[in-house]
Amino acid sequence: MDRLIEAIEDKQNPSVIGLDPTPAVVPAAVMEAYSIEVEENVDTDDNVEATAAAAAYFEYNRAIIDAVYDIVPAVKPQIAMYEALGPAGIDCYTMTCEYARSRGLYVIGDVKRGDIGSTAAAYAHHLSGFNGSDIWYEDAVTVNPYLGSDGIEPFMQAAQETDRDLFILVRTSNPSSSQLQELELASGEHVYEHVADLVESWGASSIGRFGYSRAGAVVGATHPEEGARLRERMPHTFFLVPGYGAQGGTAQSVAGMFDRNGSGAIVNSSRGIIGAWRSDERYSDEMEPEDALAIVAENARAAAADMRDQLRVALA
Amino acid sequence: MDRLIEAIEDKQNPSVIGLDPTPAVVPAAVMEAYSIEVEENVDTDDNVEATAAAAAYFEYNRAIIDAVYDIVPAVKPQIAMYEALGPAGIDCYTMTCEYARSRGLYVIGDVKRGDIGSTAAAYAHHLSGFNGSDIWYEDAVTVNPYLGSDGIEPFMQAAQETDRDLFILVRTSNPSSSQLQELELASGEHVYEHVADLVESWGASSIGRFGYSRAGAVVGATHPEEGARLRERMPHTFFLVPGYGAQGGTAQSVAGMFDRNGSGAIVNSSRGIIGAWRSDERYSDEMEPEDALAIVAENARAAAADMRDQLRVALA
């Protein structure tokens, strides 16, 4: 986790921007421009609409990355938004990761993979690449713990070999997360607390020079008290905190997830940053795509700076 | 689940072949042939080795599909094996799904996705396609329950709209599945039993004409007693049973996961079928790729027929 912590120190900003494009959050002026361009250039047996959407998503992501790379340490593309476009979306996902890397950003691939050991070993190529070449351009991935340690170990091994990290789901930000994660065990603990202890143990042999292991945890901003207790319970586990902004989390609600040095967590916001342009009255669907992207970029930078400043105040 | 059950009836065979290519299970004679071909034809800035492996995987899958499509109802490509090659592997995955469909097979995409509601809605495009066009060519996908109903509902809705299905992880086949799934709750149940009840309830509004809902369950062949109890507990839930063959499951150990009519489950074997060629002494690394694929195909068909016959005996 050292590279991420250094990047956060460098920017004095413990936040990460979720690059989660959807047809609703990418301006119509951009979506339509690429739709026309791709129709004119692509073989007819490809899925033209998906290819056009993927091209628009990439330009949108690039505009945002260019606008924020000097003030944020990391981005977190959510692969589901790209899988929604099929293989063309996957190309856009890897291009986005590669571009963010080229701008010096730490890339958290929000893929939430998880499977039995032999299969997790295949997924671990997200971190280790193929025959020594990078294929996904992620610095960390998110992983699901439902299958136990078999499904985690291959990722941990790949992380260790390639100086990368993972973030394992512990307490997710969504309302129904309680259905499974909050169940009370015979031991008196909740399921998520047991998972927290597993994560702390899975990371134990990979603790870096800031005291945090390569096995991070996903802890939603929507659970501030639980998050603060998990901070105590998991002293060597770095937190990835989703749910800020659109889902209801605030700088105050995440403050307890940081350690006494103001480290130990990175907070994600997606729609609040990448969709900030939607309240800008200068935008219209009829404008040129580059003008729309300039408005996206300007608003994303302002929203990212605002989030950074709010976190700085809350952690001061 | 009606389309799958009809396909099983039609072939009189409740088994599914896992299309899980790896460098270890695809003959070297095939891997190397495509390596040379792709090197000569691909732009240098692509990842040539991954593209070559993806081409070899597709020819291997096609040979197996052609060899078994008339005796098995379904195939289950494990997307991790394809993600291990990056975007080129994803192209191979969708081509494999599309080809299997063209041969009349029901395609279970073993993707084990799971996320918060808005993200699960994006993943549900695996089933619903993009703007009405198919992009993944899957008839069902596997889903992880750790995030609760928010993460399931978008898949259920897409399944209902497109006459497709899902299989939700309940009790996985791997050794460490016990670390989380077998925990005892304060209520006296185990976690996987609670998940089983959730799955049964998630499916309740989608029960088809054979009495099974669109929300299936993944129950590993390595847990025969638990599987038999789950069969009683989940009367409207169809089971996808991995872990047969290489992982230790047998026709006897899965018999209890079927209902009294010999329906209610489909059993997966991957390495036992697609790797059966490895004990064929006629194979050598020096042979032509088409000769190697003929040996793969012949052994896969024999192993698939053998598995079918063993299941028929165990269920008689």
Side-chain angles (χ1 to χ4, degrees):
Chain A
M1 211 60 77
D2 291 352
R3 287 198 294 124
L4 176 59
I5 296 170
E6 278 164 9
I8 292 169
E9 292 281 310
D10 186 43
K11 306 279 173 63
Q12 286 291 301
N13 181 6
S15 71
V16 47
I17 294 180
L19 296 175
D20 304 352
T22 63
V25 83
V26 180
V30 178
M31 291 295 278
E32 278 155 28
Y34 287 92
S35 178
I36 294 161
E37 188 178 306
V38 167
E39 257 173 49
E40 288 169 354
N41 290 297
V42 164
D43 298 350
T44 46
D45 58 341
D46 288 331
N47 187 323
V48 176
E49 289 186 352
T51 306
Y57 282 10
F58 180 69
E59 294 306 323
Y60 171 81
N61 286 343
R62 185 158 65 176
I64 294 167
I65 291 166
D66 285 345
V68 301
Y69 76 92
D70 61 326
I71 59 170
V72 303
V75 290
K76 181 178 75 66
Q78 165 54 259
I79 200 169
M81 307 310 176
Y82 304 85
E83 290 192 20
L85 307 182
I90 297 291
D91 289 337
C92 173
Y93 175 84
T94 57
M95 285 168 61
T96 297
C97 293
E98 190 176 11
Y99 186 73
R101 275 259 192 94
S102 77
R103 285 299 211 171
L105 292 163
Y106 179 97
V107 177
I108 302 173
D110 198 351
V111 302
K112 296 191 176 65
R113 300 308 193 239
D115 214 301
I116 66 169
S118 55
T119 305
Y123 276 134
H125 287 274
H126 272 269
L127 300 179
S128 59
F130 183 74
N131 284 2
S133 294
D134 220 330
I135 44 177
W136 288 100
Y137 304 97
E138 296 151 326
D139 294 292
V141 290
T142 54
V143 180
N144 188 303
Y146 192 68
L147 291 98
S149 58
D150 297 349
I152 303 296
E153 276 158 16
F155 283 101
M156 282 302 291
Q157 194 179 331
Q160 194 75 31
E161 285 167 9
T162 61
D163 190 18
R164 298 186 187 184
D165 307 295
L166 35 154
F167 291 95
I168 300 157
L169 303 188
V170 172
R171 188 72 177 95
T172 59
S173 58
N174 58 317
S176 74
S177 60
S178 58
Q179 287 180 335
L180 181 54
Q181 298 163 28
E182 258 188 24
L183 291 176
E184 192 183 338
L185 295 170
S187 64
E189 297 169 316
H190 295 100
V191 166
Y192 75 87
E193 293 169 318
H194 186 85
V195 174
D197 294 347
L198 287 172
V199 171
E200 182 78 8
S201 74
W202 290 332
S205 65
S206 69
I207 295 172
R209 56 199 177 78
F210 300 102
Y212 288 103
S213 81
R214 293 191 187 278
V218 175
V219 180
T222 48
H223 310 293
E225 293 82 16
E226 295 173 10
R229 285 198 300 273
L230 287 172
R231 177 71 286 147
E232 297 296 312
R233 192 177 187 115
M234 309 175 80
H236 307 101
T237 305
F238 202 86
F239 288 179
L240 169 62
V241 183
Y244 186 96
Q247 289 183 59
T250 64
Q252 287 68 41
S253 64
V254 301
M257 303 191 194
F258 287 81
D259 64 24
R260 65 196 68 176
N261 303 316
S263 179
I266 188 164
V267 182
N268 181 75
S269 179
S270 301
R271 284 166 278 179
I273 310 289
I274 68 172
W277 66 271
R278 289 187 288 190
S279 55
D280 190 321
E281 291 180 357
R282 293 174 301 168
Y283 172 77
S284 100
D285 284 352
E286 282 69 43
M287 70 194 337
E288 293 298 314
E290 48 271 32
D291 296 332
L293 289 172
I295 289 177
V296 167
E298 189 183 315
N299 282 280
R301 184 177 176 87
D306 188 48
M307 180 178 175
R308 175 196 62 191
D309 296 343
Q310 289 187 26
L311 287 170
R312 283 183 183 168
V313 169
L315 296 174
Chain B
M1 212 58 80
D2 292 352
R3 287 198 294 124
L4 176 59
I5 296 170
E6 278 164 10
I8 292 169
E9 291 281 309
D10 185 43
K11 305 279 173 63
Q12 286 290 303
N13 181 5
S15 72
V16 47
I17 294 180
L19 295 176
D20 304 352
T22 63
V25 83
V26 180
V30 177
M31 292 295 279
E32 279 155 27
Y34 287 92
S35 179
I36 294 161
E37 187 178 307
V38 167
E39 256 173 49
E40 289 169 354
N41 289 296
V42 165
D43 299 350
T44 45
D45 58 342
D46 288 332
N47 187 322
V48 176
E49 288 186 352
T51 305
Y57 282 11
F58 181 70
E59 294 306 323
Y60 171 80
N61 286 342
R62 186 158 63 175
I64 293 167
I65 290 167
D66 286 345
V68 302
Y69 76 92
D70 60 327
I71 60 170
V72 303
V75 290
K76 181 178 75 65
Q78 166 53 262
I79 200 169
M81 306 311 175
Y82 304 86
E83 290 191 21
L85 306 182
I90 296 291
D91 289 336
C92 173
Y93 175 83
T94 57
M95 286 167 62
T96 297
C97 293
E98 190 176 10
Y99 187 72
R101 275 260 192 96
S102 77
R103 284 299 211 172
L105 292 163
Y106 179 98
V107 178
I108 302 173
D110 199 352
V111 302
K112 296 191 178 64
R113 300 309 193 238
D115 213 300
I116 66 169
S118 55
T119 306
Y123 276 134
H125 287 275
H126 272 269
L127 299 180
S128 59
F130 182 75
N131 284 2
S133 294
D134 220 331
I135 45 178
W136 289 99
Y137 304 96
E138 297 152 329
D139 295 292
V141 290
T142 55
V143 180
N144 188 303
Y146 192 68
L147 291 99
S149 57
D150 297 350
I152 303 296
E153 277 158 15
F155 284 101
M156 281 303 291
Q157 192 179 332
Q160 194 75 32
E161 286 168 7
T162 60
D163 190 18
R164 298 185 188 184
D165 307 294
L166 35 155
F167 291 95
I168 300 157
L169 303 187
V170 171
R171 188 73 179 93
T172 60
S173 57
N174 59 316
S176 73
S177 60
S178 58
Q179 287 180 334
L180 181 53
Q181 298 162 28
E182 259 188 23
L183 292 176
E184 192 185 338
L185 296 170
S187 64
E189 298 170 315
H190 294 100
V191 166
Y192 76 88
E193 293 169 320
H194 186 86
V195 174
D197 295 346
L198 287 173
V199 171
E200 182 79 8
S201 73
W202 290 332
S205 64
S206 69
I207 295 173
R209 57 199 176 78
F210 299 102
Y212 287 104
S213 81
R214 293 190 188 280
V218 175
V219 180
T222 47
H223 311 292
E225 293 83 14
E226 294 173 11
R229 284 197 300 273
L230 288 173
R231 177 72 284 151
E232 297 295 313
R233 192 179 186 114
M234 310 175 79
H236 307 99
T237 304
F238 203 86
F239 287 0
L240 169 62
V241 184
Y244 185 96
Q247 289 183 59
T250 64
Q252 287 68 40
S253 64
V254 301
M257 303 192 195
F258 288 81
D259 64 25
R260 66 196 67 175
N261 304 316
S263 179
I266 189 164
V267 182
N268 181 76
S269 179
S270 300
R271 283 165 279 181
I273 309 289
I274 69 173
W277 65 270
R278 289 187 287 192
S279 55
D280 190 321
E281 292 180 357
R282 293 174 300 167
Y283 172 77
S284 101
D285 284 352
E286 283 70 42
M287 70 194 338
E288 293 298 315
E290 48 272 32
D291 296 332
L293 288 173
I295 289 177
V296 167
E298 189 183 316
N299 282 279
R301 184 178 177 87
D306 188 49
M307 179 178 176
R308 175 197 61 190
D309 296 343
Q310 290 186 26
L311 286 170
R312 283 182 183 167
V313 168
L315 297 175

